[in-house]
Amino acid sequence: MEKIVYNGMPPELPVNIESEIIVIGGGPGGIGAAVAAARSGADTVMIERYSAPGGMAMAGEVSPFMGNHINEKSLDRGIYLEWVERIQSYLPGEVVDGEAFSARNRIIHKDVAALAAEDLLRDAGVKVIYHHHLFDCIKQGSAINAAVLFSKSGLTAAKSKIFIDCSGDADLAAKAGCEIEIGNQDGFCQPMTLCFKLENVNFDDSDSENIVGLRKQLTEVYLAAKASGEVNCPRENILMFQTHDPTVMHFNTTRVIKHSALNGLELSEAEVIGRDQIRALLKLFHAKVPAMKNARLRSIGSHIGIRESRRVIGENYIGLEAFENYTKYPDAIAKVRYPVDIHNPSGTGTDIRQLPAGEWYEIPYGCIVAKGIDNLLIGGRPISVDHGLHSSMRVMPPACSIGQAAGIAAAMAVAGEKLPRELNGCEVRKKLVEFGAGLDV
């Protein structure tokens, strides 16, 4: 590849942000981390590249919140439940218990999710900085001294005692030189999906009486179109979900394989492929499905949904055996019972494995402590687990809980003048219980 000399980097950068804790990324993990850190008394700043918080719930238009429940009660408590209930407060009707496994609690309206998240952040006293992208970091020895940010102001620096990487792709950890894993044994990550919604869906014109029947009908038409070459999408069926409007359906059906979310050109191409699949599906539905003949495209995610990219090696590392053995840890910071859910990185099919009723596994504290970097914690999905286990813990409710734990740990480190790895994980768990994380339930 041709290279060109570039001398545009300034030798010195203005430091325009300083804080005890800086959270990079405002998705579910970043929301949990920033709110938890601020409520614990730490001066906290959250850096977000988009115009609003929510991550994939907002920019990716991902819905619903996947179930991480036992006996229809959420295993994710604290900030996640507050987010769910705050979302409800913007919707018609009464706010119901956020713990309950119900469609009202799980359906995500992207703009409402952003408003609700911003409410939580502002109420906690978090300083939120939008339209700033992580560009690089400046290290002193084995610590991060500053994050280098890019915005309309150019390059600036943000200094902090503790950084929490909630970028989803472990961007700060990678810039800092952390050991990283990517994808499965072949190096491929789970496929990306561009979510979209159709409105004016008319069940009265369908042979189907409910969404299950409509999904079956759509899948039959879809598979026939795949066989004839009308549709080029590797997914094996139609995946769709209800919304708060019975005439609007959310589709999680596109599948873009063997494209890296970490390669700019491949990510760009993935967006185009996803939209081509939407074009084909819309044409097919109009022509072959009575309930969809007058359906209109309502919205498309502004960023393709990313299931997997980097995973950061931490002070502890756990794999699929933790799922298989329902492993519990004395220093657990989150509980998970969402199934193994591996969308085939190379084509058709989805590997789904359920836990027995009433069982869950736990994430130990060391999985969120980046190995080799003194002042870095990881929140959200790119933690120290293998490809198989990642497919279970990656969904938004556990990601928020993991971020919440990182925020609590960061605040403890600042208050105690310790490095994150010097903290006793059992004490972090104890503090999480006091915070309302529900780890003692």
Side-chain angles (χ1 to χ4, degrees), residues 134-410:
L134 178 71
F135 180 78
D136 203 348
C137 73
I138 299 169
K139 291 174 62 181
Q140 285 186 337
S142 56
I144 299 170
N145 183 36
V148 179
L149 307 175
F150 174 73
S151 72
K152 289 293 186 179
S153 303
L155 295 179
T156 57
K159 297 182 67 175
S160 184
K161 294 178 180 178
I162 303 289
F163 289 87
I164 308 177
D165 187 340
C166 297
S167 63
D169 296 322
D171 291 330
L172 180 58
K175 295 291 186 184
C178 289
E179 184 180 353
I180 299 291
E181 288 185 346
I182 298 175
N184 60 12
Q185 61 185 6
D186 299 319
F188 293 122
C189 293
Q190 289 203 59
M192 292 179 265
T193 292
L194 185 58
C195 293
F196 66 99
K197 289 182 175 64
L198 297 181
E199 64 184 3
N200 203 35
V201 177
N202 186 358
F203 285 98
D204 293 337
D205 291 340
S206 172
D207 295 331
S208 311
E209 294 181 356
N210 52 48
I211 190 173
V212 175
L214 179 59
R215 185 186 295 123
K216 181 180 178 182
Q217 183 184 19
L218 287 168
T219 295
E220 290 172 355
V221 169
Y222 167 71
L223 292 176
K226 281 187 66 177
S228 68
E230 293 176 74
V231 173
N232 181 19
C233 177
R235 188 174 173 85
E236 66 276 9
N237 58 13
I238 294 294
L239 183 60
M240 57 185 282
F241 299 97
Q242 292 172 299
T243 70
H244 292 111
D245 183 336
T247 68
V248 176
M249 293 293 138
H250 174 90
F251 288 83
N252 189 348
T253 296
T254 66
R255 176 173 288 188
V256 181
I257 61 172
K258 296 184 178 180
H259 280 64
S260 172
L262 305 174
N263 180 300
L265 294 179
E266 291 186 20
L267 184 60
S268 174
E269 187 175 51
E271 300 277 9
V272 176
I273 293 171
R275 284 193 285 271
D276 276 345
Q277 291 177 7
I278 292 172
R279 290 182 178 100
L281 290 169
L282 188 58
K283 181 179 179 181
L284 176 69
F285 294 167
H286 280 158
K288 301 290 181 66
V289 182
M292 295 287 186
K293 67 181 180 181
N294 294 315
R296 297 183 295 265
L297 184 63
R298 184 185 182 100
S299 57
I300 301 174
S302 60
H303 192 300
I304 195 166
I306 298 170
R307 292 183 174 89
E308 180 185 18
S309 54
R310 301 183 184 98
R311 304 187 305 275
V312 181
I313 301 302
E315 293 292 329
N316 199 348
Y317 180 94
I318 60 174
L320 194 55
E321 64 277 2
F323 178 94
E324 296 168 341
N325 298 323
Y326 340 128
T327 307
K328 315 298 191 294
Y329 298 91
D331 62 344
I333 50 87
K335 295 179 176 182
V336 186
R337 72 162 276 108
Y338 183 72
V340 165
D341 182 17
I342 305 174
H343 298 239
N344 187 349
S346 300
T348 298
T350 304
D351 178 4
I352 298 178
R353 306 176 217 173
Q354 302 281 351
L355 284 169
E359 276 297 352
W360 72 91
Y361 67 92
E362 295 177 340
I363 306 290
Y365 172 63
C367 288
I368 68 171
V369 182
K371 192 173 184 178
I373 301 296
D374 290 345
N375 59 339
L376 179 62
L377 287 155
I378 310 298
R381 62 178 166 85
I383 63 170
S384 186
V385 297
D386 71 5
H387 170 74
L389 195 67
H390 180 273
S391 74
S392 167
M393 55 66 53
R394 65 182 168 81
V395 294
M396 288 187 279
C400 189
S401 293
I402 291 166
Q404 176 175 261
I408 292 291

Side-chain angles (χ1 to χ4, degrees), residues 21 42 49 71 95 109 112 121 154 172 218 259 276 282 330 353 411 417:
I21 295 170
R49 59 176 168 159
N71 296 325
V95 175
H109 184 298
V112 169
L121 292 161
L172 180 58
L218 287 168
H259 280 64
D276 276 345
L282 188 58
R353 306 176 217 173
E417 298 184 346

Side-chain angles (χ1 to χ4, degrees), residues 35-76:
V35 173
R39 287 186 185 171
S40 298
D43 181 30
T44 305
V45 170
M46 190 183 80
I47 308 293
E48 169 54 45
R49 59 176 168 159
Y50 298 124
S51 62
M56 286 292 103
M58 186 277 294
E61 196 156 338
V62 175
S63 182
F65 288 123
M66 291 300 173
N68 188 38
H69 293 65
I70 287 182
N71 296 325
E72 299 195 348
K73 293 290 185 180
S74 177
L75 293 177
D76 300 289

